[in-house]
Amino acid sequence: MFKSDALVAGRRATETKSAGGIRTGGICAGLAALALAATLLPAPTPAKADELKTVNVIMPLPRSANFYPIVAGEALGYFADEGIEVNLLPSSTTVPYVAFVQNGQAELAMLDAPQTFQAVQAGIKIKVIYEAHQKAPEGVAVLADSPYKSVADLEGKTVGLVSDRDLVTLTIALNHKGVPISDVHTVVVGEAGPTMASALKSGRVVAIAGATPDWLSLEAAGMDIRLITPTEMEDQPANSFVVSADRMDELRKTLEGFFRAYSKGMEVAKIDPQVLSAMLKKAVPEEWPNEEFGQKFVDASVDLAYSITDKKGDVQAEVWKAVQPPLVKVGELKAEIDPATFLDASIIGPANDYSRDEIVADVAAWKQKNM
């Protein structure tokens, strides 16, 4: 069995729960911090004066399988073809990510749904223009042979939280089944796979609330697990790209090119999974402590990062509306917000304007040269 730092890094990426996020303090508590952060950020760094236009992006990780379309798009030259160089800003920051697009230091920021609601509720003018992850990585897991078939069965039991941030996940999951969080006991078990495995195996906890990398960590520690996450939580805008509303016209052509390259990179996972793995192993070797973990990490990432909508990255107003009532009920959102006020689908058409046959040919050429 193995344990890798990539598990912890991957967890931060799929959750988007860093200090740049919202769940460290709740939506209502974070509003003042957003306004302050925008004034404290340094002035934007000028783009490079060469042939490629630098697009500054802030997201939870540097290049990673979690966001494989960037790695694949760069490997096949798609961003360069659009005249773009992707510059990923350091993600370890106490400044909310949205402040970087407010300030102009980043053209794009990746936010989860609660972060987005926080920003809109604070009056920050942003537009969600492309959904990168359309499935929720968070959930609730039990041992494969556990008698518990639903989160409703956890009433009166002790449930582990990978971190205190996962209390929101558990609260919403229970809420879907009519069980108040006060009816379960919770304890933080930590992110280490062996520690989580020990808590489950000993019966100290009967379930764990966490995210996809935590399930990988448990499996790496020898545990066979089963998810009992309510199906109502599965489809949601887990991570999306946002832009300053005031810069939409200025950046439109650049954004169209960026997301066309991103969408083309996304296709690689379905065209030739082996090629994608080879690209990732070459670009981010630290996520491959061994072949077993590396491939499981890729498989889990593709499941999250490949669009479930017909058009890649499409913004789903009905989904954004549906995720709000549970957040309002548990106090993570003051009131529901009309998705039309912050969604902009105008980039989606150009982002999907490409020939899949050309990508097939490009993947074959890369494979012949590199494998």
Side-chain angles (χ1 to χ4, degrees):
M1 300 304 169
F2 52 84
K3 178 74 172 78
S4 168
D5 289 341
L7 283 169
V8 177
R11 173 177 170 76
R12 286 196 299 267
T14 53
E15 290 181 311
T16 321
K17 291 180 183 174
S18 66
I22 162 217
R23 298 186 188 172
T24 53
I27 289 178
C28 299
L31 302 185
L34 288 175
L36 178 61
T39 66
L40 294 179
L41 283 172
T45 302
K48 291 183 178 180
D50 56 20
E51 294 182 357
L52 297 180
K53 177 178 176 59
T54 299
V55 175
N56 297 298
V57 184
I58 186 161
M59 51 200 298
L61 274 184
R63 283 155 182 81
S64 167
N66 276 125
F67 309 110
Y68 78 84
I70 288 180
V71 174
E74 289 178 328
L76 295 175
Y78 293 147
F79 288 98
D81 290 346
E82 299 287 352
I84 290 170
E85 179 179 49
V86 180
N87 178 40
L88 298 183
L89 301 177
S91 58
S92 181
T93 174
T94 59
V95 178
Y97 287 0
V98 71
F100 287 79
V101 294
Q102 258 189 296
N103 157 277
Q105 192 170 4
E107 281 70 46
L108 291 165
M110 180 176 281
L111 308 182
D112 66 10
Q115 289 173 332
T116 303
F117 295 138
Q118 175 190 21
V120 175
Q121 191 167 262
I124 298 172
K125 296 180 179 180
I126 56 170
K127 293 293 183 182
V128 173
I129 58 175
Y130 192 100
E131 294 180 6
H133 289 170
Q134 297 174 325
K135 293 182 179 180
E138 300 93 351
V140 182
V142 296
L143 292 175
D145 59 358
S146 167
Y148 305 111
K149 306 300 182 184
S150 163
V151 292
D153 299 331
L154 302 179
E155 188 171 3
K157 306 298 189 296
T158 299
V159 179
L161 308 174
V162 176
S163 77
D164 56 7
R165 299 181 299 261
D166 294 295
L167 182 61
V168 174
T169 296
L170 180 60
T171 300
I172 293 176
L174 291 169
N175 177 66
H176 279 296
K177 298 302 179 182
V179 179
I181 188 65
S182 58
D183 283 1
V184 303
H185 307 288
T186 61
V187 58
V188 175
V189 296
E191 296 181 346
T195 303
M196 288 189 288
S198 175
L200 276 173
K201 190 174 182 180
S202 68
R204 185 162 69 96
V205 302
V206 301
I208 289 180
T212 300
D214 302 316
W215 317 146
L216 291 177
S217 187
L218 279 167
E219 290 174 355
M223 296 287 101
D224 291 327
I225 61 170
R226 171 170 47 85
L227 294 181
I228 58 171
T229 314
T231 56
E232 297 92 330
M233 293 180 65
E234 291 178 359
D235 293 341
Q236 62 174 283
N239 286 302
S240 299
F241 286 102
V242 307
V243 63
S244 167
D246 293 337
R247 299 188 70 193
M248 276 293 294
D249 290 339
E250 168 200 345
L251 295 173
R252 184 168 299 279
K253 291 299 180 184
T254 298
L255 295 173
E256 290 176 358
F258 179 94
F259 288 110
R260 184 160 42 244
Y262 193 95
S263 296
K264 291 165 75 174
M266 192 186 296
E267 282 283 11
V268 176
K270 301 300 181 181
I271 291 172
D272 195 325
Q274 289 184 334
V275 166
L276 176 62
S277 293
M279 289 174 173
L280 290 165
K281 190 182 298 186
K282 183 177 181 180
V284 283
E286 63 273 17
E287 292 184 346
W288 291 79
N290 62 46
E291 197 71 22
E292 181 185 2
F293 173 77
Q295 192 55 57
K296 283 187 175 182
F297 197 25
V298 173
D299 292 343
S301 297
V302 169
D303 185 56
L304 286 174
Y306 195 88
S307 290
I308 62 175
T309 48
D310 291 338
K311 292 182 178 179
K312 290 178 177 55
D314 207 358
V315 293
Q316 307 168 86
E318 69 283 0
V319 176
W320 283 91
K321 183 174 179 59
V323 299
Q324 294 185 56
L327 291 172
V328 173
K329 187 170 183 179
V330 301
E332 283 291 305
L333 186 61
K334 288 181 179 178
E336 292 187 40
I337 303 169
D338 183 357
T341 62
F342 60 86
L343 297 184
D344 187 326
S346 63
I347 299 296
I348 299 303
N352 286 268
D353 184 16
Y354 58 82
S355 166
R356 192 174 189 275
D357 290 342
E358 290 181 5
I359 303 174
V360 170
D362 293 339
V363 168
W366 192 96
K367 184 174 185 177
Q368 185 174 17
K369 181 178 179 181
N370 296 278
M371 295 175 66

